[in-house]
Amino acid sequence: MKTESNNQRGAWGSRLAFVLAASGSAVGLGNIWKFPYVVGENGGGAFVLIYLICVFVIGTPIMLAEFTLGRKTSLNPVGAFDQLKPKSPWTGIGYMGVLAGFLILSFYGVVGGWTFAYVAKSISGSVLAFPSPKEAGEFFGNFIGNTGEVLFYHALFMATNIAIVIRGVKGGIEKACNILMPTLVVILFLLMIRSLTLDGAMEGVAFYLTPDFSKINGSVILIALGQAFFSLSLGMGAMITYGSYLSVKENLTSCTVYVVMFDTLIALLVGMVIFPAVFAMGLEPTEGPGLVFSVLPTVFADMPMGHGVAVIFFLLLAIAAITSGISLLETVVAYFIDQRGWDRKRAVLIVGLVIFALGVPSGLSFGVMGDVKLFGMNFFDHVDNIASNYLLPLGGMFTAIFVGWVWGTKNAHEEIEKHENKFHFPWAQCWEFLIRYITPVAVGIVFIAKILP
Ligand code: PHE
């Protein structure tokens, strides 16, 4: 099956292309929309510190494991586990990953649509017309409750996604990320300079960078770990899929380090854009999920050159969402190409449309379907909860156990050292220890803590 569909699979053109694409997957709404508000809600500097520990101790080893599985097998998540342990229950991890990709993209596409809408609304200036975050928040609430508008932008986001993924790995995903990722970094730097030069910005910097350890407790640690997972795109095989297009010449450890650094740097940078601005405007950092959509427009409206800055900011948010969205779609598509023998075009169109359809009730969850609730949560929250809080951590934990104990670190080591790449002491030993003991136990604790009432 693998050989006959190989021409449909494709490969990255260079290591840089791979690193940019994998970073594109990692850097997304998780970094720009979610990271600042969870930092804001969880006490600032201390949370940032715990987050960083989670990224390096738990996220980094899993990312290397996922890249290794992908490159070893040149397959999608289901195919990868099946090739290494044929017909075993471990293949279930792959199915869980494909399902997670399906579910995550269904609501991610909705929020991606919001970002597209805010690009348009900041160009027209309508989001900048409010004197305080309260009115801007109402405007946001009205917008996400408007069926026609939400569906239109949701469809636009998914269509963009489909148009890129249909062109394949090299022509579509790689080309898009080569342009989009560097653009994003440049824009963020400009915004940071703008933010830091506002009067009163330093108070925000202090909130962001000074750890106050009295703010740390069990639940803060859990949130930090979950955020690390989502932000690094781990636990569903997106990184297995991207790794499967990588040549054996490339050094997996350095790719891992680049992607982790890039994702982390962007999250940290976004904090440096948002907190100085929030404090300079005398606003609270604890606004929650509305921080970006309802607080920032007020911040922009009040600052010199604010109109331009707003357009740039929402453009950036849309770019980050697209490069993550394509990795979610590609993971599901790769399964249908490799395992089911579909051609790329058919796989992308069918999968893309079905995911869009599944996303429709999520999109309507803040409007006409706002009252349709089960256990107090709307459709959107349920899909997000199942995928992000259950499937991702479980997927990550089982991937670590699989690589650490079932397929074995010895085999993984061999794959990592292919083509004269060295996995040196003490890094190799350190990784083995983390992936076998620390990662599964830590993720297991998070998972259990999450399902306990
Ligand atoms: N990492 C992406 C973000 O931060 C989301 C994502 C999760 C993408 C899982 C792919 C897989 O927005």
Side-chain angles (χ1 to χ4, degrees), residues 25-31 104 108 230-233 236 238 324 327-328:
S25 167
V27 175
L29 296 167
N31 305 56
I104 293 178
Y108 205 88
F230 190 82
S231 186
L232 294 169
S233 301
M236 57 151 276
S324 297
S327 74
L328 290 159

Side-chain angles (χ1 to χ4, degrees), residues 61-242:
I62 297 189
M63 187 175 293
L64 179 57
E66 287 204 17
F67 283 162
T68 309
L69 285 172
R71 202 192 52 189
K72 167 77 191 173
T73 58
S74 301
L75 286 169
N76 66 93
V78 173
F81 288 101
D82 191 52
Q83 189 183 87
L84 299 174
K85 278 280 155 211
K87 308 240 174 314
S88 73
W90 293 100
T91 312
I93 311 173
Y95 281 109
M96 236 166 61
V98 172
L99 178 67
F102 217 89
L103 295 177
I104 293 178
L105 185 55
S106 78
F107 71 85
Y108 205 88
V110 171
V111 184
W114 297 350
T115 69
F116 273 32
Y118 264 60
V119 173
K121 289 172 193 295
S122 55
I123 292 173
S124 76
S126 61
V127 294
L128 297 165
F130 307 104
S132 80
K134 191 170 167 286
E135 286 105 11
E138 280 164 14
F139 176 83
F140 176 64
N142 284 338
F143 158 64
I144 61 175
N146 181 325
T147 304
E149 253 194 313
V150 163
L151 288 185
F152 171 77
Y153 284 109
H154 177 199
L156 198 63
F157 182 87
M158 289 304 295
T160 311
N161 227 328
I162 287 172
I164 294 174
V165 176
I166 218 164
R167 289 180 167 74
V169 171
K170 204 165 167 181
I173 300 176
E174 177 173 322
K175 270 214 183 98
C177 292
N178 276 351
I179 303 166
L180 298 179
M181 294 315 288
T183 312
L184 194 139
V185 176
V186 173
I187 293 175
L188 267 183
F189 261 102
L190 292 177
L191 278 177
M192 182 180 74
I193 294 167
R194 176 65 258 169
S195 242
L196 286 175
T197 49
L198 290 168
D199 272 351
M202 287 311 133
E203 212 187 313
V205 176
F207 168 81
Y208 185 47
L209 297 182
T210 324
D212 169 2
F213 289 101
S214 67
K215 300 260 172 63
I216 293 187
N217 57 37
S219 91
V220 170
I221 298 175
L222 301 185
I223 294 171
L225 183 54
Q227 173 64 17
F229 249 82
F230 190 82
S231 186
L232 294 169
S233 301
L234 297 176
M236 57 151 276
M239 294 309 188
I240 296 180
T241 308
Y242 271 19

Side-chain angles (χ1 to χ4, degrees), residues 210-408:
T210 324
D212 169 2
F213 289 101
S214 67
K215 300 260 172 63
I216 293 187
N217 57 37
S219 91
V220 170
I221 298 175
L222 301 185
I223 294 171
L225 183 54
Q227 173 64 17
F229 249 82
F230 190 82
S231 186
L232 294 169
S233 301
L234 297 176
M236 57 151 276
M239 294 309 188
I240 296 180
T241 308
Y242 271 19
S244 76
Y245 304 120
L246 192 60
S247 130
V248 288
K249 287 202 305 270
E250 305 300 352
N251 185 326
L252 292 174
T253 49
S254 58
C255 287
T256 305
V257 171
Y258 288 137
V259 176
V260 170
M261 290 306 222
F262 200 66
D263 186 69
T264 308
L265 197 84
I266 297 278
L268 293 178
L269 249 164
V270 170
M272 279 304 244
V273 172
I274 296 205
F275 293 111
V278 166
F279 277 79
M281 301 290 157
L283 301 169
E284 288 300 316
T286 49
E287 281 307 316
L291 193 66
V292 166
F293 288 105
S294 55
V295 172
L296 278 184
T298 330
V299 173
F300 295 138
D302 227 21
M303 77 187 347
M305 298 186 311
H307 194 158
V309 177
V311 174
I312 291 172
F313 181 82
F314 287 110
L315 204 57
L316 176 142
L317 195 59
I319 289 172
I322 273 291
T323 55
S324 297
I326 55 186
S327 74
L328 290 159
L329 184 56
E330 178 65 24
T331 304
V332 184
V333 162
Y335 163 75
F336 284 97
I337 293 177
D338 296 339
Q339 306 303 113
R340 303 281 166 140
W342 290 14
D343 69 34
R344 175 169 286 275
K345 199 168 158 199
R346 171 167 172 227
V348 175
L349 284 175
I350 294 179
V351 170
L353 282 174
V354 173
I355 292 180
F356 169 72
L358 181 68
V360 168
S362 284
L364 302 182
S365 290
F366 306 92
V368 289
M369 283 180 60
D371 292 331
V372 184
K373 287 195 173 157
L374 195 66
F375 309 119
M377 288 197 296
N378 61 29
F379 193 87
F380 182 105
D381 296 334
H382 275 295
V383 181
D384 180 8
N385 184 41
I386 293 169
S388 316
N389 296 343
Y390 293 83
L391 296 177
L392 290 190
L394 272 182
M397 183 178 77
F398 285 126
T399 302
I401 296 172
F402 183 83
V403 171
W405 300 93
V406 181
W407 182 45

